[in-house]
């Protein structure tokens, strides 16, 4: 049976190398996986409703949504085969979120570690939307009865909550039948966790304050070279093996990025560069990153020069997504006992 796969990104800023190596390039592989009736059905959302929960730039949001969609396509997602859509253009996401919120216990949300990370110390000032993020994420997934969700370590807990919400709904409103399939995590062997270029213990993030912490998919060759050159390292040389890399997160991050971009293993990279000065690894890394990313960057800029075309792609994606979402919402409302003329 074919898998229905759902994965999304927030248009909180420009996409960065971690979004590409940790998610986007795998989306392209997933789209090509399977044959005939076993072919995956992939849905890739631009989750703009999630992007506004931690303060956002009103002027920039619509364009960031377009640019995120452009990045998907530039990286190889085919809008004819996969659904590309903006979350806000399918109102059923927000509606299902409310219905799920009515029976999801606060205690379960309080256990979500990402809220604590994103809200920081002052949780009193964090928005209700940020707190309830995992409920909207459950709605995103279950609205399409997605069977598989590619997740990184940081999203595992949220997916677990989505499964829990599906089970509670099935038990409470579907008489114990599996109305919502329990979505499975889809672990990609090639997903790489990319860390900040300034602090190897923090993940690279598109909304981190300093632009020098990340490589954006829109950065040109000079900017990429500058950022890698300034990337934090330590006093030693490039580690030659795992043992030499212990306790050296910045060194291991550069090695991990090189391995991911060249489709090799970190061991092979350490064999090649071990014992050399960091400058040689950084120079090779810049060249490799430019070679791999520049076709994506130029395709993105081509796509962004024709906004009407991106808008058409997003509109067509939303129509297709709504044709799946509307019947689910209708069923759910019926099962929950709502009036309908
Ligand atoms: N550094 C990373 N390494 C590997 N994968 C990453 N992802 C994000 N950063 C890295 C993956 O990209 C997808 C997009 O996630 P998102 O937009 O929902 O937000 P995020 O995970 O919180 O990513 P960012 O870039 O850090 O965004 P902000 O700054 O807005 O919070 C996910 O599949 C994620 O695993």
């Amino acid at each position: 049976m074919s898998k229905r796969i759902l994965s999304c990104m927030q248009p909180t800023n420009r996409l960065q190398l971690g979004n590409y190596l940790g998610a986007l390039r795998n989306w392209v592989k997933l789209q090509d996986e399977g044959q005939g009736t076993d072919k995956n059905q992939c849905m890739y959302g631009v989750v703009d409703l999630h992007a506004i929960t931690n303060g956002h730039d009103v002027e920039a949001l619509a364009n960031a949504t377009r640019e995120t969609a452009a990045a998907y396509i530039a990286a190889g997602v085919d809008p004819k085969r996969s659904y590309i859509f903006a979350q806000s253009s399918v109102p059923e996401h927000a509606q299902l979120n409310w219905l799920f919120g009515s029976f999801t216990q606060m205690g379960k949300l309080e256990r979500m570690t990402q809220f604590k990370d994103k809200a920081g110390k002052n949780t009193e000032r964090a928005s209700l939307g940020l707190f309830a993020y995992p409920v909207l994420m459950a709605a995103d997934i279950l609205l399409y009865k997605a069977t598989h969700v590619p997740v990184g370590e940081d999203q595992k807990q949220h997916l677990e909550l989505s499964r829990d919400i599906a089970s509670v709904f099935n038990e409470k409103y579907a008489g114990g039948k599996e109305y919502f399939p329990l979505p499975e995590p889809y672990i990609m062997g090639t997903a790489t966790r990319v860390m900040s270029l300034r602090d190897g213990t923090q993940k690279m993030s598109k909304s981190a304050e300093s632009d020098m912490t990340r490589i954006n998919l829109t950065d040109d060759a000079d900017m990429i070279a500058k950022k890698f050159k300034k990337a934090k390292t330590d006093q030693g040389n490039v580690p030659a093996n795992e043992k030499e890399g212990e306790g050296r997160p910045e060194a291991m991050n550069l090695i991990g990025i090189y391995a991911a971009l060249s489709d090799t293993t970190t061991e092979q990279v350490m064999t090649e560069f071990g014992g050399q000065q960091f400058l040689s690894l950084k120079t090779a890394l810049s060249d490799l990153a430019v070679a791999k990313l520049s076709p994506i960057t130029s395709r993105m800029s081509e796509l962004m020069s024709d906004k009407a075309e991106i808008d058409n792609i997003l509109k067509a994606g939303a129509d297709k997504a709504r044709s799946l979402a509307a019947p689910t919402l209708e069923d759910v409302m019926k099962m929950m006992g709502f009036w309908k003329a």
Side-chain angles (χ1 to χ4, degrees), residues 197-257:
L197 298 181
R198 311 298 295 175
D199 176 354
T201 64
Q202 299 291 317
K203 80 167 184 149
M204 185 177 283
S205 175
K206 56 179 130 59
S207 58
E209 214 171 301
S210 162
D211 192 56
M212 294 303 283
T213 58
R214 60 181 167 259
I215 304 290
N216 302 306
L217 295 189
T218 46
D219 285 344
D220 63 18
D222 288 345
M223 184 55 86
I224 291 176
K226 183 173 162 194
K227 286 179 175 175
F228 278 125
K229 198 166 170 204
K230 292 204 173 238
K232 187 178 166 199
T233 45
D234 51 44
Q235 301 298 322
N237 287 336
V238 178
N241 51 51
E242 286 287 335
K243 185 139 185 44
E244 282 185 27
E246 271 171 22
R248 302 172 66 189
E250 286 83 15
M252 291 312 290
N253 186 35
L254 296 184
I255 290 167
I257 297 174

Short mmCIF file of all heavy atoms in Angstrom, two decimals, residues 197-257:
data_model
loop_
_atom_site.label_atom_id
_atom_site.label_comp_id
_atom_site.label_asym_id
_atom_site.label_seq_id
_atom_site.Cartn_x
_atom_site.Cartn_y
_atom_site.Cartn_z
N LEU A 197 27.26 27.45 12.97
CA LEU A 197 28.68 27.64 12.63
C LEU A 197 29.44 28.37 13.74
O LEU A 197 30.65 28.44 13.72
CB LEU A 197 28.81 28.42 11.32
CG LEU A 197 28.21 27.76 10.07
CD1 LEU A 197 28.43 28.63 8.83
CD2 LEU A 197 28.81 26.37 9.84
N ARG A 198 28.70 28.91 14.70
CA ARG A 198 29.35 29.65 15.79
C ARG A 198 29.33 28.89 17.11
O ARG A 198 30.00 29.28 18.05
CB ARG A 198 28.67 31.02 15.99
CG ARG A 198 28.48 31.83 14.75
CD ARG A 198 29.76 32.19 14.06
NE ARG A 198 30.59 33.08 14.86
CZ ARG A 198 31.81 33.47 14.52
NH1 ARG A 198 32.35 33.01 13.39
NH2 ARG A 198 32.49 34.27 15.28
N ASP A 199 28.48 27.84 17.20
CA ASP A 199 28.37 27.08 18.43
C ASP A 199 27.90 25.67 18.07
O ASP A 199 26.73 25.47 17.74
CB ASP A 199 27.36 27.79 19.37
CG ASP A 199 27.12 27.00 20.65
OD1 ASP A 199 27.64 25.87 20.78
OD2 ASP A 199 26.40 27.52 21.53
N GLY A 200 28.82 24.74 18.14
CA GLY A 200 28.53 23.38 17.69
C GLY A 200 27.55 22.61 18.56
O GLY A 200 27.22 21.46 18.26
N THR A 201 27.07 23.24 19.64
CA THR A 201 26.09 22.55 20.49
C THR A 201 24.67 23.01 20.18
O THR A 201 23.71 22.47 20.71
CB THR A 201 26.37 22.78 22.00
OG1 THR A 201 26.19 24.18 22.28
CG2 THR A 201 27.78 22.37 22.38
N GLN A 202 24.54 24.06 19.36
CA GLN A 202 23.21 24.58 19.00
C GLN A 202 22.91 24.21 17.56
O GLN A 202 23.79 24.30 16.71
CB GLN A 202 23.19 26.12 19.07
CG GLN A 202 23.48 26.70 20.42
CD GLN A 202 22.36 26.43 21.40
OE1 GLN A 202 21.19 26.54 21.05
NE2 GLN A 202 22.73 26.02 22.60
N LYS A 203 21.64 23.86 17.26
CA LYS A 203 21.38 23.50 15.86
C LYS A 203 21.34 24.75 14.99
O LYS A 203 20.98 25.84 15.45
CB LYS A 203 20.11 22.67 15.72
CG LYS A 203 18.83 23.43 15.74
CD LYS A 203 17.68 22.53 15.26
CE LYS A 203 16.44 23.41 15.22
NZ LYS A 203 15.46 23.10 14.26
N MET A 204 21.75 24.57 13.73
CA MET A 204 21.66 25.68 12.78
C MET A 204 20.18 25.99 12.62
O MET A 204 19.36 25.08 12.47
CB MET A 204 22.28 25.28 11.44
CG MET A 204 22.33 26.41 10.44
SD MET A 204 23.16 25.94 8.89
CE MET A 204 24.87 25.98 9.32
N SER A 205 19.84 27.27 12.65
CA SER A 205 18.43 27.62 12.67
C SER A 205 18.18 28.86 11.83
O SER A 205 18.98 29.79 11.85
CB SER A 205 18.05 27.87 14.13
OG SER A 205 16.75 28.33 14.21
N LYS A 206 17.05 28.87 11.09
CA LYS A 206 16.82 30.02 10.21
C LYS A 206 16.45 31.27 10.99
O LYS A 206 16.59 32.37 10.47
CB LYS A 206 15.79 29.70 9.12
CG LYS A 206 14.44 29.21 9.58
CD LYS A 206 13.54 28.98 8.37
CE LYS A 206 12.87 27.63 8.37
NZ LYS A 206 12.00 27.33 9.52
N SER A 207 15.95 31.11 12.23
CA SER A 207 15.57 32.32 12.95
C SER A 207 16.59 32.72 14.03
O SER A 207 16.31 33.62 14.82
CB SER A 207 14.17 32.17 13.53
OG SER A 207 14.11 31.07 14.39
N ALA A 208 17.76 32.07 14.06
CA ALA A 208 18.79 32.51 15.01
C ALA A 208 19.18 33.95 14.67
O ALA A 208 19.17 34.34 13.49
CB ALA A 208 20.00 31.60 14.92
N GLU A 209 19.50 34.70 15.71
CA GLU A 209 19.74 36.14 15.49
C GLU A 209 20.87 36.43 14.50
O GLU A 209 20.72 37.23 13.59
CB GLU A 209 20.05 36.77 16.84
CG GLU A 209 19.53 38.17 16.93
CD GLU A 209 19.65 38.69 18.35
OE1 GLU A 209 19.07 38.06 19.28
OE2 GLU A 209 20.35 39.68 18.51
N SER A 210 21.99 35.75 14.68
CA SER A 210 23.13 36.07 13.81
C SER A 210 23.11 35.26 12.51
O SER A 210 23.03 34.03 12.52
CB SER A 210 24.44 35.78 14.56
OG SER A 210 25.49 35.70 13.63
N ASP A 211 23.23 36.00 11.40
CA ASP A 211 23.25 35.36 10.09
C ASP A 211 24.52 34.52 9.90
O ASP A 211 24.55 33.60 9.08
CB ASP A 211 23.15 36.45 9.01
CG ASP A 211 22.85 35.87 7.64
OD1 ASP A 211 21.84 35.16 7.51
OD2 ASP A 211 23.65 36.11 6.71
N MET A 212 25.57 34.85 10.67
CA MET A 212 26.85 34.13 10.53
C MET A 212 26.78 32.70 11.10
O MET A 212 27.70 31.92 10.94
CB MET A 212 27.98 34.89 11.22
CG MET A 212 28.30 36.21 10.57
SD MET A 212 28.72 36.04 8.82
CE MET A 212 30.41 35.42 8.95
N THR A 213 25.68 32.37 11.78
CA THR A 213 25.55 31.02 12.35
C THR A 213 25.11 30.01 11.30
O THR A 213 25.12 28.82 11.55
CB THR A 213 24.48 30.99 13.47
OG1 THR A 213 23.22 31.44 12.91
CG2 THR A 213 24.86 31.87 14.64
N ARG A 214 24.65 30.50 10.14
CA ARG A 214 24.05 29.58 9.17
C ARG A 214 24.44 29.90 7.74
O ARG A 214 24.85 31.02 7.43
CB ARG A 214 22.52 29.64 9.28
CG ARG A 214 21.98 31.03 9.00
CD ARG A 214 20.47 31.15 9.11
NE ARG A 214 20.10 32.56 9.12
CZ ARG A 214 19.79 33.25 10.20
NH1 ARG A 214 19.74 32.64 11.37
NH2 ARG A 214 19.52 34.53 10.12
N ILE A 215 24.27 28.91 6.87
CA ILE A 215 24.37 29.12 5.43
C ILE A 215 22.93 29.14 4.91
O ILE A 215 22.18 28.17 5.09
CB ILE A 215 25.12 27.93 4.74
CG1 ILE A 215 26.51 27.69 5.34
CG2 ILE A 215 25.17 28.11 3.23
CD1 ILE A 215 27.53 28.76 5.06
N ASN A 216 22.53 30.25 4.33
CA ASN A 216 21.18 30.33 3.76
C ASN A 216 21.20 29.76 2.34
O ASN A 216 22.21 29.88 1.64
CB ASN A 216 20.72 31.79 3.66
CG ASN A 216 20.75 32.47 5.02
OD1 ASN A 216 20.14 31.98 5.97
ND2 ASN A 216 21.46 33.58 5.12
N LEU A 217 20.07 29.22 1.92
CA LEU A 217 20.03 28.68 0.55
C LEU A 217 20.13 29.81 -0.48
O LEU A 217 20.33 29.55 -1.66
CB LEU A 217 18.76 27.86 0.30
CG LEU A 217 18.61 26.58 1.12
CD1 LEU A 217 17.44 25.75 0.64
CD2 LEU A 217 19.89 25.73 1.10
N THR A 218 19.98 31.06 -0.03
CA THR A 218 20.09 32.19 -0.95
C THR A 218 21.49 32.83 -0.91
O THR A 218 21.74 33.79 -1.64
CB THR A 218 19.05 33.27 -0.57
OG1 THR A 218 19.09 33.44 0.84
CG2 THR A 218 17.65 32.86 -0.98
N ASP A 219 22.40 32.34 -0.08
CA ASP A 219 23.74 32.93 0.00
C ASP A 219 24.53 32.70 -1.29
O ASP A 219 24.47 31.61 -1.88
CB ASP A 219 24.54 32.33 1.17
CG ASP A 219 24.08 32.86 2.52
OD1 ASP A 219 23.37 33.89 2.55
OD2 ASP A 219 24.42 32.23 3.54
N ASP A 220 25.31 33.73 -1.70
CA ASP A 220 26.14 33.53 -2.90
C ASP A 220 27.50 32.93 -2.50
O ASP A 220 27.78 32.73 -1.30
CB ASP A 220 26.29 34.83 -3.70
CG ASP A 220 27.01 35.92 -2.91
OD1 ASP A 220 27.68 35.58 -1.91
OD2 ASP A 220 26.89 37.09 -3.29
N ALA A 221 28.32 32.65 -3.51
CA ALA A 221 29.58 31.94 -3.26
C ALA A 221 30.48 32.69 -2.28
O ALA A 221 31.08 32.08 -1.38
CB ALA A 221 30.31 31.73 -4.59
N ASP A 222 30.56 34.02 -2.41
CA ASP A 222 31.43 34.80 -1.51
C ASP A 222 30.94 34.70 -0.07
O ASP A 222 31.74 34.57 0.86
CB ASP A 222 31.44 36.28 -1.93
CG ASP A 222 32.22 36.46 -3.22
OD1 ASP A 222 32.95 35.51 -3.59
OD2 ASP A 222 32.09 37.53 -3.85
N MET A 223 29.64 34.79 0.09
CA MET A 223 29.07 34.74 1.44
C MET A 223 29.30 33.36 2.06
O MET A 223 29.66 33.24 3.24
CB MET A 223 27.58 35.09 1.37
CG MET A 223 26.89 35.16 2.70
SD MET A 223 27.68 36.29 3.85
CE MET A 223 26.91 37.83 3.40
N ILE A 224 29.13 32.32 1.26
CA ILE A 224 29.34 30.95 1.77
C ILE A 224 30.80 30.80 2.23
O ILE A 224 31.09 30.32 3.33
CB ILE A 224 28.96 29.89 0.70
CG1 ILE A 224 27.45 29.91 0.50
CG2 ILE A 224 29.46 28.50 1.09
CD1 ILE A 224 26.94 28.98 -0.60
N ALA A 225 31.73 31.28 1.38
CA ALA A 225 33.16 31.16 1.72
C ALA A 225 33.46 31.96 2.99
O ALA A 225 34.17 31.48 3.89
CB ALA A 225 34.01 31.67 0.56
N LYS A 226 32.89 33.13 3.11
CA LYS A 226 33.13 33.99 4.28
C LYS A 226 32.62 33.30 5.56
O LYS A 226 33.30 33.27 6.58
CB LYS A 226 32.40 35.32 4.08
CG LYS A 226 32.61 36.32 5.17
CD LYS A 226 31.98 37.65 4.78
CE LYS A 226 31.80 38.51 6.02
NZ LYS A 226 30.94 39.64 5.80
N LYS A 227 31.42 32.74 5.45
CA LYS A 227 30.84 32.12 6.66
C LYS A 227 31.62 30.88 7.10
O LYS A 227 31.85 30.68 8.29
CB LYS A 227 29.37 31.78 6.40
CG LYS A 227 28.49 33.01 6.40
CD LYS A 227 27.04 32.63 6.12
CE LYS A 227 26.13 33.85 6.23
NZ LYS A 227 24.75 33.54 5.86
N PHE A 228 32.05 30.06 6.14
CA PHE A 228 32.83 28.88 6.54
C PHE A 228 34.20 29.30 7.08
O PHE A 228 34.71 28.71 8.02
CB PHE A 228 32.97 27.87 5.39
CG PHE A 228 31.77 26.97 5.23
CD1 PHE A 228 31.10 26.87 4.02
CD2 PHE A 228 31.30 26.23 6.31
CE1 PHE A 228 29.99 26.04 3.88
CE2 PHE A 228 30.17 25.40 6.18
CZ PHE A 228 29.52 25.30 4.96
N LYS A 229 34.78 30.33 6.46
CA LYS A 229 36.09 30.78 6.92
C LYS A 229 36.01 31.26 8.37
O LYS A 229 36.89 30.99 9.19
CB LYS A 229 36.56 31.93 6.02
CG LYS A 229 38.02 32.18 6.11
CD LYS A 229 38.51 33.06 4.99
CE LYS A 229 39.93 33.45 5.29
NZ LYS A 229 40.32 34.68 4.66
N LYS A 230 34.92 31.93 8.69
CA LYS A 230 34.76 32.46 10.06
C LYS A 230 34.15 31.46 11.02
O LYS A 230 33.94 31.77 12.20
CB LYS A 230 33.88 33.71 10.02
CG LYS A 230 34.56 34.87 9.31
CD LYS A 230 33.99 36.19 9.78
CE LYS A 230 34.79 37.31 9.20
NZ LYS A 230 35.40 38.22 9.98
N ALA A 231 33.81 30.27 10.51
CA ALA A 231 33.17 29.28 11.38
C ALA A 231 34.10 28.97 12.55
O ALA A 231 35.32 28.86 12.38
CB ALA A 231 32.88 28.00 10.60
N LYS A 232 33.49 28.81 13.73
CA LYS A 232 34.29 28.56 14.93
C LYS A 232 34.94 27.17 14.85
O LYS A 232 34.29 26.21 14.43
CB LYS A 232 33.37 28.63 16.15
CG LYS A 232 34.09 28.55 17.45
CD LYS A 232 33.12 28.67 18.62
CE LYS A 232 33.84 28.23 19.89
NZ LYS A 232 32.94 27.87 20.95
N THR A 233 36.21 27.09 15.19
CA THR A 233 36.86 25.79 15.35
C THR A 233 37.67 25.86 16.63
O THR A 233 37.51 26.80 17.41
CB THR A 233 37.78 25.45 14.14
OG1 THR A 233 38.56 26.60 13.82
CG2 THR A 233 37.00 25.01 12.92
N ASP A 234 38.57 24.91 16.85
CA ASP A 234 39.38 24.97 18.07
C ASP A 234 40.86 25.07 17.69
O ASP A 234 41.19 25.21 16.52
CB ASP A 234 39.09 23.75 18.95
CG ASP A 234 39.19 22.44 18.17
OD1 ASP A 234 40.15 22.31 17.40
OD2 ASP A 234 38.30 21.57 18.31
N GLN A 235 41.72 24.98 18.68
CA GLN A 235 43.15 25.17 18.45
C GLN A 235 43.82 24.03 17.68
O GLN A 235 44.85 24.22 17.04
CB GLN A 235 43.90 25.30 19.80
CG GLN A 235 43.43 26.45 20.68
CD GLN A 235 43.66 27.79 20.01
OE1 GLN A 235 44.67 27.98 19.34
NE2 GLN A 235 42.72 28.71 20.15
N GLY A 236 43.19 22.85 17.74
CA GLY A 236 43.84 21.67 17.15
C GLY A 236 43.71 21.61 15.64
O GLY A 236 43.26 22.56 15.00
N ASN A 237 44.13 20.47 15.08
CA ASN A 237 43.95 20.23 13.66
C ASN A 237 42.67 19.41 13.45
O ASN A 237 42.03 19.01 14.43
CB ASN A 237 45.15 19.47 13.09
CG ASN A 237 46.36 20.39 12.99
OD1 ASN A 237 46.21 21.62 12.90
ND2 ASN A 237 47.55 19.81 13.03
N VAL A 238 42.36 19.14 12.20
CA VAL A 238 41.15 18.36 11.90
C VAL A 238 41.31 16.96 12.51
O VAL A 238 42.35 16.32 12.32
CB VAL A 238 40.95 18.23 10.36
CG1 VAL A 238 39.73 17.38 10.04
CG2 VAL A 238 40.83 19.62 9.72
N PRO A 239 40.30 16.51 13.30
CA PRO A 239 40.43 15.18 13.89
C PRO A 239 40.53 14.09 12.82
O PRO A 239 39.90 14.19 11.77
CB PRO A 239 39.14 15.02 14.72
CG PRO A 239 38.24 16.11 14.33
CD PRO A 239 39.05 17.18 13.67
N ALA A 240 41.33 13.04 13.12
CA ALA A 240 41.52 11.96 12.14
C ALA A 240 40.61 10.78 12.42
O ALA A 240 40.51 9.86 11.61
CB ALA A 240 42.98 11.52 12.16
N ASN A 241 39.96 10.77 13.60
CA ASN A 241 39.04 9.67 13.93
C ASN A 241 38.06 10.15 15.01
O ASN A 241 38.23 11.23 15.56
CB ASN A 241 39.82 8.44 14.39
CG ASN A 241 40.82 8.80 15.50
OD1 ASN A 241 40.45 9.44 16.48
ND2 ASN A 241 42.09 8.43 15.30
N GLU A 242 37.07 9.28 15.28
CA GLU A 242 36.01 9.61 16.27
C GLU A 242 36.62 10.05 17.60
O GLU A 242 36.16 11.02 18.20
CB GLU A 242 35.15 8.35 16.55
CG GLU A 242 34.20 7.98 15.46
CD GLU A 242 33.01 8.92 15.35
OE1 GLU A 242 32.65 9.56 16.36
OE2 GLU A 242 32.47 9.05 14.24
N LYS A 243 37.65 9.33 18.02
CA LYS A 243 38.21 9.59 19.34
C LYS A 243 38.79 11.01 19.40
O LYS A 243 38.55 11.75 20.34
CB LYS A 243 39.29 8.53 19.63
CG LYS A 243 39.87 8.61 21.00
CD LYS A 243 40.08 7.23 21.62
CE LYS A 243 40.56 7.32 23.06
NZ LYS A 243 39.87 8.29 23.87
N GLU A 244 39.51 11.38 18.33
CA GLU A 244 40.09 12.73 18.30
C GLU A 244 39.02 13.82 18.20
O GLU A 244 39.26 14.97 18.52
CB GLU A 244 41.03 12.86 17.09
CG GLU A 244 42.38 12.22 17.32
CD GLU A 244 43.33 12.47 16.13
OE1 GLU A 244 43.19 13.49 15.41
OE2 GLU A 244 44.20 11.62 15.94
N GLY A 245 37.83 13.40 17.73
CA GLY A 245 36.75 14.38 17.58
C GLY A 245 35.91 14.56 18.83
O GLY A 245 35.07 15.47 18.91
N GLU A 246 36.14 13.71 19.83
CA GLU A 246 35.32 13.78 21.05
C GLU A 246 35.44 15.14 21.73
O GLU A 246 36.56 15.68 21.86
CB GLU A 246 35.75 12.69 22.03
CG GLU A 246 34.99 11.40 21.81
CD GLU A 246 35.55 10.25 22.62
OE1 GLU A 246 36.23 10.48 23.65
OE2 GLU A 246 35.33 9.09 22.18
N GLY A 247 34.30 15.70 22.13
CA GLY A 247 34.30 16.99 22.83
C GLY A 247 34.67 18.16 21.93
O GLY A 247 35.02 19.24 22.41
N ARG A 248 34.61 17.95 20.60
CA ARG A 248 34.95 19.04 19.66
C ARG A 248 33.78 19.22 18.67
O ARG A 248 33.90 18.89 17.48
CB ARG A 248 36.26 18.68 18.93
CG ARG A 248 37.41 18.46 19.90
CD ARG A 248 38.64 17.93 19.19
NE ARG A 248 39.18 18.90 18.27
CZ ARG A 248 40.16 18.64 17.38
NH1 ARG A 248 40.67 17.41 17.32
NH2 ARG A 248 40.60 19.57 16.58
N PRO A 249 32.65 19.74 19.19
CA PRO A 249 31.42 19.78 18.37
C PRO A 249 31.56 20.62 17.10
O PRO A 249 30.99 20.26 16.06
CB PRO A 249 30.38 20.39 19.32
CG PRO A 249 31.14 21.05 20.41
CD PRO A 249 32.43 20.30 20.54
N GLU A 250 32.35 21.70 17.15
CA GLU A 250 32.47 22.56 15.96
C GLU A 250 33.22 21.82 14.85
O GLU A 250 32.84 21.87 13.68
CB GLU A 250 33.17 23.89 16.29
CG GLU A 250 32.30 24.87 17.07
CD GLU A 250 32.26 24.62 18.57
OE1 GLU A 250 33.12 23.86 19.06
OE2 GLU A 250 31.37 25.17 19.24
N ALA A 251 34.29 21.12 15.24
CA ALA A 251 35.07 20.36 14.26
C ALA A 251 34.20 19.27 13.64
O ALA A 251 34.15 19.10 12.41
CB ALA A 251 36.30 19.74 14.93
N MET A 252 33.47 18.55 14.50
CA MET A 252 32.65 17.45 14.00
C MET A 252 31.49 17.95 13.13
O MET A 252 31.04 17.26 12.22
CB MET A 252 32.12 16.59 15.16
CG MET A 252 33.20 15.80 15.88
SD MET A 252 34.32 14.89 14.78
CE MET A 252 33.26 13.60 14.15
N ASN A 253 31.02 19.16 13.42
CA ASN A 253 29.95 19.73 12.60
C ASN A 253 30.43 19.97 11.17
O ASN A 253 29.76 19.60 10.21
CB ASN A 253 29.47 21.05 13.24
CG ASN A 253 28.26 21.62 12.53
OD1 ASN A 253 27.39 20.88 12.06
ND2 ASN A 253 28.19 22.94 12.44
N LEU A 254 31.62 20.56 11.02
CA LEU A 254 32.14 20.82 9.67
C LEU A 254 32.37 19.51 8.93
O LEU A 254 32.06 19.38 7.74
CB LEU A 254 33.44 21.63 9.74
CG LEU A 254 33.34 23.06 10.32
CD1 LEU A 254 34.69 23.77 10.24
CD2 LEU A 254 32.28 23.89 9.58
N ILE A 255 32.86 18.53 9.66
CA ILE A 255 33.09 17.21 9.05
C ILE A 255 31.75 16.58 8.63
O ILE A 255 31.63 16.03 7.52
CB ILE A 255 33.86 16.29 10.05
CG1 ILE A 255 35.30 16.81 10.18
CG2 ILE A 255 33.83 14.83 9.62
CD1 ILE A 255 36.08 16.22 11.32
N GLY A 256 30.76 16.71 9.49
CA GLY A 256 29.42 16.17 9.18
C GLY A 256 28.82 16.84 7.96
O GLY A 256 28.21 16.18 7.11
N ILE A 257 28.99 18.15 7.86
CA ILE A 257 28.43 18.87 6.70
C ILE A 257 29.14 18.41 5.43
O ILE A 257 28.50 18.15 4.40
CB ILE A 257 28.55 20.41 6.88
CG1 ILE A 257 27.76 20.89 8.10
CG2 ILE A 257 28.08 21.13 5.63
CD1 ILE A 257 27.94 22.37 8.44
#
